[in-house]
């Protein structure tokens, strides 16, 4: 997720006249290589470069404030959306150090989205929680996942890499955000300068998750 979110800054660096080489995880290499030369992380030190910049720190040398950020899409959608399709992801990487803060009971999500044309974007841990009425989208690798996300009109997710990819492609994305939120959701309100297509559904009280899903349910009824 951090790599997908920070990949946007490669375009800003390129616009300033730099030749940008991306160092990234193997799983994301083919997607990032559509726009830039790419090396995997373990090969980065053997690639000639004048400067090395950690992508999450790029806003510092770029001199960006919130108003300088571009929320427009920077990864291309690779399939047409299926009318009414809603992609759903209910938990993130269990190895994330703050997973306990963003984890919520999956039944709250299922209750909010039941009755709509939903597909599961959940892979590995907690994928077995998928209810029978929800279709499973193909998620074999990141390009397959990208296609499955591209086929969605709307993605609803906790703060995960799937949410970042959907938002980076300009797909309408609703993200369930904990009280202790990730820093790019830190500004109050429902919107974020990082992604124009994102709406944030915030937890109001620590350990209690009913509020964001009540609002998701209401907004789905209004949307469809």
């Amino acid at each position: 997720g951090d790599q997908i979110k920070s990949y946007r800054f490669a375009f800003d660096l390129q616009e300033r006249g730099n030749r940008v080489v991306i160092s990234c995880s193997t799983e994301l290499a083919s997607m990032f290589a559509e726009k830039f030369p790419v090396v995997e992380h373990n090969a980065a030190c053997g690639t000639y470069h004048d400067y090395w910049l950690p992508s999450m720190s790029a806003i510092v040398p770029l001199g960006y404030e919130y108003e300088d950020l571009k929320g427009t899409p920077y990864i291309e959608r690779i399939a047409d959306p299926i009318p009414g399709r809603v992609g759903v992801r209910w938990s993130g990487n269990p190895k994330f150090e703050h997973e306990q803060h963003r984890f919520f009971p999956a039944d709250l999500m299922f209750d909010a989205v039941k009755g709509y044309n939903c597909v599961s974007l959940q892979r590995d841990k907690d994928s077995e929680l998928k209810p029978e009425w929800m279709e499973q989208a193909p998620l074999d690798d990141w390009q397959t996942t990208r296609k499955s996300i591209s086929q969605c009109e709307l993605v609803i997710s906790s703060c995960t890499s799937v949410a970042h990819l959907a938002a980076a492609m300009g797909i309408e994305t609703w993200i369930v955000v904990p009280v202790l939120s990730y820093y790019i959701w830190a500004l109050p309100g429902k919107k974020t300068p990082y992604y124009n297509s994102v709406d944030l559904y915030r937890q109001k009280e620590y350990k209690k998750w009913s509020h964001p899903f009540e609002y998701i349910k209401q907004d789905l009824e209004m949307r469809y």
Side-chain angles (χ1 to χ4, degrees), residues 134-182:
M134 185 181 293
E135 182 182 343
Q136 177 63 53
L139 305 169
D140 299 332
D141 52 36
W142 270 109
Q143 290 289 28
T144 306
T145 300
R146 180 185 178 188
K147 182 177 180 180
S148 293
I149 294 172
S150 296
Q151 292 174 327
C152 296
E153 265 190 351
L154 168 67
V155 170
I156 306 175
S157 176
S158 58
C159 178
T160 66
S161 53
V162 162
H164 283 290
L165 181 53
M169 291 193 289
I171 296 167
E172 186 176 358
T173 307
W174 297 357
I175 303 177
V176 181
V177 178
V179 169
L180 182 61
S181 66
Y182 187 51

Side-chain angles (χ1 to χ4, degrees), residues 94-106:
K95 295 181 180 179
F96 177 57
E97 60 267 28
H98 296 298
E99 173 67 12
Q100 74 275 16
H101 297 301
R102 65 180 182 179
F103 181 79
F104 50 75

Side-chain angles (χ1 to χ4, degrees), residues 203-220:
Q203 181 189 37
K204 289 188 175 181
E205 187 176 350
Y206 183 59
K207 291 187 177 182
K208 294 184 179 181
W209 285 102
S210 60
H211 282 101
F213 293 100
E214 288 172 4
Y215 290 123
I216 286 173
K217 196 169 187 176
Q218 292 173 13
D219 287 351
L220 279 171

Side-chain angles (χ1 to χ4, degrees), residues 105-154:
D107 285 343
L108 289 173
M109 176 73 87
F110 301 149
D111 178 65
V113 304
K114 189 173 183 179
Y116 299 95
N117 178 18
C118 295
V119 296
S120 169
L121 299 175
Q122 187 72 36
R123 175 176 159 166
D124 302 327
K125 184 181 183 295
D126 294 333
S127 59
E128 72 281 358
L129 301 178
K130 180 185 73 65
E132 292 183 1
W133 51 263
M134 185 181 293
E135 182 182 343
Q136 177 63 53
L139 305 169
D140 299 332
D141 52 36
W142 270 109
Q143 290 289 28
T144 306
T145 300
R146 180 185 178 188
K147 182 177 180 180
S148 293
I149 294 172
S150 296
Q151 292 174 327
C152 296
E153 265 190 351
L154 168 67

Side-chain angles (χ1 to χ4, degrees), residues 79-96:
D80 293 329
I82 296 171
R85 175 163 288 190
V86 179
V88 183
R89 173 96 181 201
W90 49 91
S91 65
N93 185 346
K95 295 181 180 179
F96 177 57

Side-chain angles (χ1 to χ4, degrees), residues 3-31:
Q3 292 181 60
I4 293 169
K5 180 266 299 176
S6 301
Y7 171 62
R8 73 184 65 226
F9 297 121
F11 298 91
D12 299 75
L13 294 166
Q14 185 182 60
E15 287 174 3
R16 298 189 182 202
N18 298 290
R19 180 180 179 271
V20 180
V21 178
I22 304 290
S23 169
C24 67
S25 298
T26 304
E27 295 84 353
L28 295 171
S30 63
M31 184 163 59

